Amino acid sequence: MASVLSSSFMSPVRVCLYRSLCSRTSRTVSANGFGERGLCPAQGAAAPSRQTNRPRWDGSRGLFSRGGGAAVEQQTLESIAKNIREQQYKRVVVMAGAGISTPSGIPDFRSPGSGLYDNLQQYHLPYAEAIFEINFFHRNPEPFFALAKELYPGNYQPNVTHYFIRLLHQKGLLLRMYTQNIDGLERLAGIPPEMLVEAHGTFATATCTVCRRNYDGKDLRPDVMSGTVPRCPTCTGVVKPDIVFFGEELPHHFFKHFTDFPLADLLIIMGTSLEVEPFASLSGAVRSSVPRLLINRDLVGPFAWGSRRPHDVAWLGDVVSGVQALSDALGWTQELDAVMAAAADKASTKTEE
């Protein structure tokens, strides 16, 4: 099995990053908690390549899940906080999705009436998710850059969740943060790029689609904010932010999970539906003895399918309240407030300049 995983994930990977976020993705949960999920494009759409020998999802457990184990005392958010304080957990991996950014005012992709997909009608797309398909982008990049104008770093500010993760880093506890978000709020909160795996790419860098010249994302901002498609001065090709589109390979640093997750002694999952592959399967990549803390509105992934582990903890509610509860249990609230106040002062000073 290990050889199959290695060969499949290390080969060029084509994945349905954004299509599985749309309404065509199906997910049903039966009475016993097991579910089925649609992971690939809908009928009529281009299918990802290289499906041969790819690990199959059986709908009942994470791809990396081991399961089993003797019965142990159920952990709580408070007991996890106690073990962090007592340095029982020193290598924390965080997995995060759009739910950590919505408190900053950024709409998510799927919420009825307010999600980004619901608001794309103005772009006259053949279907909503086409905005993130590379072939469509090559033919018509204007809709993507209209959306990029809304999402571009600098339009929104980090919230307490981002600063909590920064505090984990400052205390030497953060092994890595894996984020599905492309809004750049993790970097803006002060989390160093080397501590981040931006699984779906980033606006921080960009590449010419013709000559492959590299650009800093800040170079594109004037054009993007003025509604102009950025062009390469060398070859006049379209300069595309390094966001992972459907039909593109995952960023190479995504594969740090092969070393990060086996080393982790705590996994915190927050603000994600765990429905986008292969990101979602990482929730099962930690050792079976490692606690997994879910801070989310709903039970998702292995927490919902009936494949929970003895050390799993689920805190259900809005993410900000969950992070504040964890911060309180850790005794970090004053430190967290100080970090946020310093960041606000810095942002205010920068605005005045």
Side-chain angles (χ1 to χ4, degrees):
M1 183 62 174
S3 61
V4 173
L5 290 175
S6 299
S7 63
S8 174
F9 277 85
M10 291 304 291
S11 62
V13 180
R14 312 285 185 182
V15 293
C16 320
L17 289 178
Y18 295 98
R19 185 178 299 280
S20 58
L21 285 172
C22 70
S23 59
R24 298 181 183 185
T25 299
S26 63
R27 179 167 181 262
T28 59
V29 181
S30 62
N32 64 5
F34 288 81
E36 296 176 353
R37 303 188 295 166
L39 300 180
C40 293
Q43 185 176 1
S49 62
R50 296 188 64 86
Q51 293 185 2
T52 304
N53 294 328
R54 183 174 260 174
R56 299 287 181 178
W57 188 274
D58 66 6
S60 64
R61 64 169 60 214
L63 180 63
F64 297 90
S65 180
R66 290 158 178 83
V72 295
E73 182 180 352
Q74 180 64 48
Q75 291 230 50
T76 64
L77 183 141
E78 289 73 20
S79 64
I80 284 181
K82 178 176 181 290
N83 286 332
I84 293 175
R85 290 197 310 269
E86 295 177 353
Q87 298 190 321
Q88 297 298 313
Y89 307 142
K90 301 178 181 179
R91 298 182 298 275
V92 181
V93 170
V94 175
M95 293 176 63
I100 75 166
S101 293
T102 50
S104 293
I106 299 179
D108 66 14
F109 282 90
R110 298 183 302 147
S111 294
S114 62
L116 292 176
Y117 279 135
D118 274 2
N119 296 331
L120 294 178
Q121 302 304 319
Q122 58 184 304
Y123 304 130
H124 306 293
L125 301 169
Y127 41 88
E129 64 272 22
I131 203 167
F132 286 118
E133 289 191 345
I134 192 62
N135 290 334
F136 182 85
F137 176 86
H138 288 318
R139 295 193 304 271
N140 182 14
E142 283 83 2
F144 169 77
F145 282 107
L147 180 64
K149 182 178 179 180
E150 168 71 18
L151 294 178
Y152 220 75
N155 293 349
Y156 300 92
Q157 296 301 312
N159 60 67
V160 64
T161 303
H162 301 94
Y163 288 112
F164 175 81
I165 300 166
R166 172 181 163 178
L167 192 55
L168 278 176
H169 166 66
Q170 289 181 190
K171 291 178 174 292
L173 298 172
L174 182 66
L175 178 58
R176 201 91 59 197
M177 179 183 186
Y178 285 70
T179 178
Q180 296 173 282
N181 299 330
I182 59 176
D183 49 48
L185 294 184
E186 296 88 1
R187 293 180 184 231
L188 193 57
I191 303 170
E194 64 271 17
M195 302 304 295
L196 293 170
V197 171
E198 293 155 316
H200 295 175
T202 177
F203 280 110
T205 57
T207 305
C208 174
T209 56
V210 177
C211 72
R212 310 307 297 171
R213 178 178 171 183
N214 297 323
Y215 291 86
D216 190 296
K218 295 177 182 178
D219 298 338
L220 277 63
R221 184 176 177 83
D223 282 343
V224 172
M225 300 311 291
S226 67
T228 303
V229 174
R231 296 280 178 176
C232 175
T234 302
C235 71
T236 71
V238 174
V239 180
K240 172 184 165 296
D242 291 334
I243 304 301
V244 180
F245 279 40
F246 178 71
E248 292 190 302
E249 297 175 10
L250 290 173
H252 292 300
H253 55 277
F254 177 80
F255 299 103
K256 288 180 180 177
H257 75 78
F258 279 116
T259 53
D260 286 347
F261 280 75
L263 289 174
D265 49 29
L266 175 64
L267 175 62
I268 300 177
I269 304 167
M270 47 187 165
T272 175
S273 63
L274 287 183
E275 289 187 348
V276 184
E277 295 296 341
F279 185 91
S281 292
L282 296 181
S283 62
V286 292
R287 289 166 289 130
S288 59
S289 60
V290 171
R292 299 181 298 187
L293 170 61
L294 176 71
I295 300 177
N296 216 43
R297 283 196 177 275
D298 304 295
L299 294 174
V300 295
F303 294 84
W305 307 331
S307 55
R308 292 179 65 171
R309 299 175 182 176
H311 299 288
D312 287 351
V313 177
W315 191 99
L316 299 183
D318 69 272
V319 172
V320 166
S321 295
V323 168
Q324 289 173 334
L326 179 56
S327 178
D328 288 345
L330 286 164
W332 291 2
T333 299
Q334 287 188 336
E335 288 180 87
L336 185 56
D337 289 345
V339 168
M340 294 181 65
D345 289 343
K346 183 178 180 180
S348 177
T349 302
K350 187 175 180 180
T351 301
E352 291 173 1
E353 293 174 352

